Amino acid sequence: MSEILKISNVSKVYNNKFQALNKLSLKIKKGEIFALLGPNGAGKSTLINTVCGILNFDEGSITVDELDIKTQYRKARSLIGIVPQELNLEAFETIWDNVNYSRGLYGKPPNHSYIEKLLKELSLWEKKDNKLRELSGGMKRRVLIAKALSHEPKVLFLDEPTASVDVELRKDMWEVVKRLKQEGVTIILTTHYIEEAEEIADRVGIINNGRIILVDEKESLIKKLGQKILKIELAETIDKIPSNLGIFNLEINSDKNILTYIYDTKGENTGITSLLSEIKALGMQLKDISTEQSSLESIFLNLVKESENELARS
Amino acid sequence: MNWHGLKAIYLHEMDRMRRTLFQSLVSPFISTSLYFVVFGSAIGSRITEIEGISYGSFIVPGMIMLTVLTQSISNASFGIFFPKFTNTVYELLAAPLSTFEIILGFVGAAATKSLIIGTVIILTAGIFVDLHIEHPFIMMFFLVLTCVTFSLFGFLIGIWADNFEKLQVIPILVITPLVFLGGSFYSINMLPEFWQKISLLNPVLYLVSGFRWSFYEIADVSILTSLITILFFLSACVLTIIYAFSKGYKIKN
Ligand SMILES: Nc1ncnc2c1ncn2[C@@H]1O[C@H](COP(=O)(O)OP(=O)(O)O)[C@@H](O)[C@H]1O
Ligand SMILES: [Mg+2]
């Protein structure tokens, strides 16, 4: 797959001298859904706003579909749509006028049937003549999505699209995202909800302190870095964990019949074989064995902690 | 050139006027009428004529200038300040628009509004006094240039202002006094000599004078001086904008 977005060594220093992006590099593949994960203040919005031309940057280069966003900004920007993090909209305009206005700004001739389809898909059609200030937060988010898609972009940025939105909108939004993916649109979303990334992303990038700490396929990230949980269900209950098993740091459930063992799949020696032999030697009968993948959440927290330690050391 | 984008900005700004159409057109109508009642009738009954023109007719060009100047500045400054204030400016910055196109859209719309308001005042004045325009083309030329120049000036204020006070300080503290003292409602010949000299330092006087000349062929300064003045203002605003943006000044930092 070719790359649609290339960010190379980009640094951004705000007016107050705060360095929000630090020689950041990232490549996004055409047609993928990329989740940018990071704690508050990591630089997610700064990165997105820089790529979209809302903020200017100090060094490095950014290209969209091989078009430099500084020197070929017209072509480059017309490929991009952005749903900003904040719900900022005009007050007195109608949804219909405002969405058509956005399309115009991006240099596209009017296309009322397309905008109609878009508004219907986002459940905005019935409210198209409502004034923007009359809308609830969720509705405003929908309007922002419609505006971002009004000019049929090839790359869509969603900055924390699900922050404080209802279940309904989440569902509608993922429907739209899936449709867009099928049409070949590249989607980059930021979130600090891990489940979201886990649910829809193809790849995940983790950002902290203005640097990308890690980028990987979601699946392999979970596999590679995740700890796994081994659950051992016993045929008979036990009063307490036998002292012979002490080195394994096992935990037991309240029904006293399931032992859990946490191991690192990356490690040379998972300890599973010795644990099982130990159990066999003790003469315990096993009913069932299962393993579980740990979530992105724990991976994320570990990585962020590591990068902060690193920063503290340097 | 992003023509669709330019058109979108222009129509979007004009739409703001349409939404407040009543306010936009009725207020110049009412204030014009009030000027005639207060200045025309009350003072006019004592000043009957200035240089052979009835006082009521005499004040029309000044009144138009006063309104067009202040309206151009407030429309253009508010037009660009508003999206900064509501943070909807992100869309203008992210769109494939050059700074030139953004300025053209906002300033074009503000100037159009002022032109419409100027026309309303001329028509309203026609109800109260006998109007004749000696040089309609020069009159239009002055009116259009004034609208454009002061809309550009307003745009600069709107870019510079980061709060409502700053937005209003220049129009209230500088422009309005200059217009009132610029011979809008009197001829400077009526002033003592010392104040006549002081008045000549007021750039707005040259605009009012030239504009009045296009109506009645009476002026405080020569028409050529007035033309040069407005062209000078226009170039000054254009150059300031070019300079500001080339120095990295941004619509929003
Ligand atoms: N306009 C600004 N001026 C100065 N610092 C800013 C500005 N905007 C954001 N920052 C700082 O930059 C860092 C990154 O912010 P942001 O990109 O919004 O983070 P995120 O979106 O990941 O939560 C934060 O520490 C924030 O305080
Ligand atoms: Mg953010």
Side-chain angles (χ1 to χ4, degrees):
Chain A
M1 243 191 302
S2 63
E3 280 140 359
I4 189 139
L5 175 64
K6 289 185 201 153
I7 302 169
S8 320
N9 287 312
V10 167
S11 293
K12 163 76 191 169
V13 179
Y14 279 111
N15 285 350
N16 63 0
K17 305 273 185 283
F18 180 81
Q19 177 150 22
L21 300 178
N22 194 340
K23 290 204 180 299
L24 186 148
S25 297
L26 180 64
K27 286 178 178 164
I28 306 289
K29 297 176 193 163
K30 199 171 254 174
E32 72 173 337
I33 300 181
F34 188 92
L36 194 58
L37 250 90
N40 266 326
K44 304 183 292 295
S45 298
T46 306
L47 180 61
I48 286 191
N49 291 341
T50 304
V51 174
C52 294
I54 298 169
L55 294 171
N56 44 350
F57 56 103
D58 309 297
E59 42 175 297
S61 75
I62 302 176
T63 62
V64 180
D65 212 5
E66 307 296 331
L67 300 160
D68 186 279
I69 68 154
K70 276 188 176 164
T71 56
Q72 294 161 292
Y73 71 94
R74 277 191 202 276
K75 282 186 183 159
R77 287 190 201 169
S78 59
L79 299 176
I80 300 176
I82 175 174
V83 180
Q85 185 175 348
E86 277 94 28
L87 296 176
N88 296 318
L89 281 172
E90 298 229 351
F92 301 104
E93 223 180 345
T94 64
I95 294 181
W96 176 255
D97 286 347
N98 198 243
V99 174
N100 279 295
Y101 165 67
S102 295
R103 184 180 168 90
L105 286 184
Y106 277 83
K108 290 277 165 77
N111 182 344
H112 289 176
S113 64
Y114 171 74
I115 302 291
E116 178 176 338
K117 189 182 123 232
L118 192 59
L119 293 187
K120 283 184 174 153
E121 190 176 18
L122 287 161
S123 314
L124 286 168
W125 183 244
E126 277 76 47
K127 299 212 177 216
K128 71 178 168 49
D129 296 319
N130 283 40
K131 296 215 163 56
L132 295 170
R133 63 160 182 180
E134 296 162 1
L135 304 176
S136 67
M139 278 292 169
K140 283 188 173 152
R141 182 76 67 190
R142 287 170 194 261
V143 174
L144 287 169
I145 297 171
K147 281 162 74 72
L149 293 175
S150 65
H151 62 282
E152 302 156 74
K154 296 271 173 298
V155 182
L156 178 68
F157 289 91
L158 295 158
D159 198 353
E160 306 211 7
T162 49
S164 71
V165 304
D166 49 82
V167 185
E168 196 86 355
L169 172 51
R170 260 173 105 109
K171 232 179 64 204
D172 281 6
M173 194 151 60
W174 296 150
E175 286 301 312
V176 174
V177 165
K178 275 180 205 147
R179 192 259 294 169
L180 291 170
K181 187 182 157 75
Q182 272 166 16
E183 290 171 6
V185 176
T186 308
I187 294 151
I188 296 132
L189 59 97
T190 73
T191 177
H192 47 238
Y193 297 120
I194 322 288
E195 314 87 70
E196 224 157 75
E198 238 173 325
E199 209 178 300
I200 63 162
D202 298 315
R203 287 200 306 152
V204 175
I206 295 176
I207 179 174
N208 197 33
N209 293 316
R211 296 169 214 250
I212 297 284
I213 308 172
L214 177 136
V215 177
D216 211 338
E217 305 288 326
K218 177 184 65 183
E219 304 297 340
S220 70
L221 186 64
I222 297 174
K223 280 207 196 91
K224 211 155 52 185
L225 292 160
Q227 294 178 315
K228 269 188 143 182
I229 300 162
L230 175 69
K231 286 197 170 173
I232 305 164
E233 194 176 341
L234 304 170
E236 288 162 12
T237 58
I238 53 171
D239 295 335
K240 63 182 190 57
I241 299 169
S243 55
N244 286 11
L245 302 179
I247 51 159
F248 297 103
N249 285 325
L250 299 181
E251 279 179 39
I252 191 159
N253 64 338
S254 55
D255 286 346
K256 308 278 184 197
N257 66 339
I258 298 176
L259 296 169
T260 49
Y261 171 58
I262 297 174
Y263 64 98
D264 193 345
T265 48
K266 277 194 300 183
E268 291 270 290
N269 193 344
T270 59
I272 296 176
T273 320
S274 42
L275 171 64
L276 291 181
S277 342
E278 211 46 70
I279 289 176
K280 191 182 174 201
L282 287 164
M284 297 158 83
Q285 291 291 317
L286 306 188
K287 196 173 166 195
D288 197 7
I289 282 184
S290 64
T291 63
E292 277 173 23
Q293 206 77 61
S294 76
S295 68
L296 265 176
E297 173 110 39
S298 51
I299 300 173
F300 174 64
L301 288 175
N302 280 340
L303 278 169
V304 169
K305 227 179 290 163
E306 266 171 37
S307 89
E308 258 151 25
N309 289 341
E310 216 166 273
L311 206 72
R313 275 197 300 275
S314 68
Chain B
M1 214 41 195
N2 178 352
W3 291 107
H4 288 292
L6 178 60
K7 190 175 135 202
I9 296 178
Y10 182 83
L11 293 180
H12 187 251
E13 285 304 297
M14 292 308 289
D15 211 38
R16 210 200 306 285
M17 184 180 194
R18 190 186 53 73
R19 281 197 298 272
T20 54
L21 190 68
F22 188 75
Q23 191 193 327
S24 304
L25 297 185
V26 167
S27 69
F29 174 78
I30 291 179
S31 55
T32 307
S33 306
L34 283 175
Y35 279 124
F36 277 114
V37 172
V38 175
F39 290 103
S41 310
I43 302 174
S45 61
R46 308 181 125 235
I47 308 184
T48 58
E49 276 194 357
I50 297 176
E51 300 181 35
I53 305 290
S54 81
Y55 185 69
S57 307
F58 180 85
I59 62 174
V60 173
M63 234 161 43
I64 296 171
M65 275 289 158
L66 172 66
T67 316
V68 161
L69 275 183
T70 48
Q71 284 287 328
S72 296
I73 293 175
S74 77
N75 282 332
S77 62
F78 191 76
I80 187 67
F81 178 80
F82 191 66
K84 286 203 304 174
F85 180 70
T86 56
N87 270 321
T88 50
V89 72
Y90 83 87
E91 208 179 0
L92 290 170
L93 301 176
L97 287 159
S98 66
T99 308
F100 175 69
E101 287 154 357
I102 295 177
I103 295 173
L104 204 58
F106 276 96
V107 170
T112 308
K113 285 183 211 175
S114 306
L115 208 54
I116 294 173
I117 290 168
T119 311
V120 169
I121 299 177
I122 296 179
L123 296 178
T124 312
I127 302 173
F128 290 90
V129 294
D130 195 20
L131 268 191
H132 60 113
I133 301 166
E134 215 60 62
H135 302 281
F137 287 110
I138 296 186
M139 190 280 279
M140 276 316 283
F141 182 76
F142 256 104
L143 192 60
V144 171
L145 278 194
T146 306
C147 291
V148 172
T149 304
F150 286 85
S151 295
L152 277 169
F153 187 60
F155 188 85
L156 275 170
I157 294 176
I159 295 275
W160 163 76
D162 45 18
N163 58 40
F164 275 101
E165 282 81 57
K166 281 193 187 171
L167 196 62
Q168 283 168 337
V169 67
I170 292 183
I172 291 177
L173 290 186
V174 183
I175 301 299
T176 310
L178 284 183
V179 181
F180 269 98
L181 301 174
S184 303
F185 299 104
Y186 54 86
S187 163
I188 59 164
N189 293 331
M190 297 158 73
L191 299 176
E193 199 167 335
F194 174 73
W195 288 108
Q196 285 191 26
K197 292 231 168 69
I198 295 288
S199 294
L200 288 176
L201 297 175
N202 179 355
V204 177
L205 175 97
Y206 296 82
L207 303 185
V208 173
S209 167
F211 196 49
R212 184 176 292 131
W213 182 87
S214 69
F215 280 74
Y216 312 122
E217 288 191 326
I218 54 170
D220 291 323
V221 294
S222 84
I223 176 68
L224 199 63
T225 321
S226 295
L227 283 172
I228 290 170
T229 309
I230 183 70
L231 289 172
F232 174 77
F233 274 156
L234 179 62
S235 337
C237 287
V238 170
L239 290 176
T240 311
I241 284 196
I242 292 173
Y243 179 77
F245 282 98
S246 73
K247 281 284 162 204
Y249 208 91
K250 285 277 167 326
I251 287 179
K252 194 186 183 192
N253 283 316

